[in-house]
Amino acid sequence: MIDRQTPLDIIRRRYPNALSTSDTVDAFLDLMQLHLGIEPRKLMLADSICSDDLNTIEYPRRAYEMLGPFKLGGLDGFPFAGLTGMSAFAHHVPVDGAVFVFHGPHIGVSKEGDTGIILRPGQTHHSACCGAIRAAIDKMASGGILPGELTELDYQQNTIEQLLLAHRDRIASARCAMDESTEVMYSAIEKRIDILAARTEYPCRYLVIMGGVLINSDYDVGSFCSFRRLVCIDLTTGRREDWLDELLDSAARLTYRVTRNGDGIREARRCVE
Ligand SMILES: [Zn+2]
């Protein structure tokens, strides 16, 4: 019997709990309906993901059933929109709705399972993903990053360089610098999101935060997410609930197939067994 691995199988070798981004949205919207009785059009979505054009091309279609997205992220998904961005979007939520923040860095994993590179639409050669992280790693390896240097012309990239520079030895000794740097970025983004979220006022009852590593594969495969957290905070009581296991359980019965969407770009879709 021939062992044919799906793209999700290949992604899961490195990220065991990964799901396609489309499955993620489907399972998430079901959970919101089940637990809070809130329908998609009353969810105010903000994402803090890389401004890479591929993330726009591969944005899950059902995510547009929610309000937004408000874009909190800049290069590699760090929430550069800051307190002002967080406060602005939070005040756009319906009073009987909920605020939902998705955050995470991204990394490419090609169809062949190579980390840090992907084949983009219309191109014949693989390129780096995240390109900003690749550039920062190369600059750090050549000793080009100066401690504390933040320039007006390249502020976002310089910020990423400083975040990675603080973990130079860890990244240099890692088996895969792209992989390790992505983990460093995940921690930095999560920490910053929590600071911003704690300093923001919300004219609604619920704040929901999902964190993960966004995984882009080749253009004809689609995108995936490896999860780190899914928490719901009742802002009237301060009670926090962890829904990550439930999200993964509800998605466990899903298998993967690929369909072609209207733009000619393949999108990972679920198939219920
Ligand atoms: Zn990127």
Side-chain angles (χ1 to χ4, degrees):
M1 192 171 132
I2 299 170
D3 179 24
R4 289 192 61 194
Q5 289 199 311
T6 67
L8 183 57
D9 294 332
I10 291 168
I11 301 288
R12 282 184 168 173
R13 281 193 229 148
R14 166 62 186 88
Y15 298 100
N17 76 2
L19 293 172
S20 77
T21 50
S22 295
D23 283 351
T24 302
V25 175
D26 288 347
F28 172 75
L29 293 179
D30 288 350
L31 268 189
M32 294 302 288
Q33 195 87 47
L34 181 70
H35 281 288
L36 305 180
I38 295 179
E39 52 195 283
R41 65 190 173 85
K42 293 198 172 175
L43 292 169
M44 184 67 225
L45 164 66
D47 63 42
S48 196
I49 63 176
C50 187
S51 35
D52 190 323
D53 45 279
L54 198 58
N55 283 340
T56 304
I57 292 170
E58 295 183 342
Y59 212 75
R61 295 192 155 203
R62 271 204 84 195
Y64 292 114
E65 292 180 20
M66 293 179 269
L67 300 171
F70 188 100
K71 309 301 279 185
L72 286 170
L75 292 177
D76 205 35
F78 195 77
F80 286 103
L83 275 178
T84 300
M86 189 78 185
S87 178
F89 112 87
H91 281 82
H92 302 162
V93 65
V95 288
D96 54 349
V99 165
F100 171 44
V101 179
F102 174 81
H103 67 82
H106 74 145
I107 189 166
V109 178
S110 73
K111 252 191 296 209
E112 293 75 27
D114 295 322
T115 301
I117 57 168
I118 50 166
L119 191 60
R120 292 168 184 272
Q123 300 208 326
T124 54
H125 293 93
H126 290 77
S127 57
C129 179
C130 174
I133 294 301
R134 179 77 263 164
I137 291 169
D138 292 346
K139 190 172 174 180
M140 187 160 65
S142 67
I145 302 177
L146 303 177
E149 186 177 57
L150 294 170
T151 67
E152 192 178 349
L153 280 181
D154 213 3
Y155 175 77
Q156 293 193 9
Q157 181 67 9
N158 295 158
T159 300
I160 288 173
E161 290 167 359
Q162 296 302 318
L163 289 169
L164 297 190
L165 187 63
H167 299 273
R168 178 173 45 192
D169 294 343
R170 171 183 162 189
I171 293 167
S173 61
R175 205 159 58 92
C176 174
M178 286 289 278
D179 197 357
E180 199 67 22
S181 299
T182 303
E183 296 302 321
V184 168
M185 287 303 297
Y186 177 83
S187 298
I189 293 167
E190 182 181 280
K191 190 174 167 190
R192 181 59 61 90
I193 288 285
D194 284 349
I195 292 171
L196 297 176
R199 296 187 188 185
T200 301
E201 291 182 359
Y202 308 89
C204 64
R205 182 169 177 182
Y206 297 106
L207 167 64
V208 182
I209 302 177
M210 182 189 285
V213 173
L214 191 55
I215 304 154
N216 300 99
S217 190
D218 297 347
Y219 73 94
D220 56 348
V221 172
S223 59
F224 304 83
C225 184
S226 169
F227 300 93
R228 304 299 159 86
R229 65 170 174 170
L230 174 56
V231 291
C232 176
I233 302 157
D234 184 333
L235 298 162
T236 61
T237 62
R239 180 184 159 94
R240 294 172 69 97
E241 287 190 36
D242 182 341
W243 291 347
L244 182 56
D245 287 345
E246 195 173 346
L247 180 86
L248 295 173
D249 285 348
S250 69
R253 67 182 188 279
L254 307 177
T255 57
Y256 171 84
R257 70 186 169 94
V258 170
T259 58
R260 188 172 287 275
N261 72 18
D263 301 323
I265 304 297
R266 285 184 168 209
E267 183 181 17
R269 294 293 301 170
R270 74 176 181 175
C271 173
V272 179
E273 283 181 310

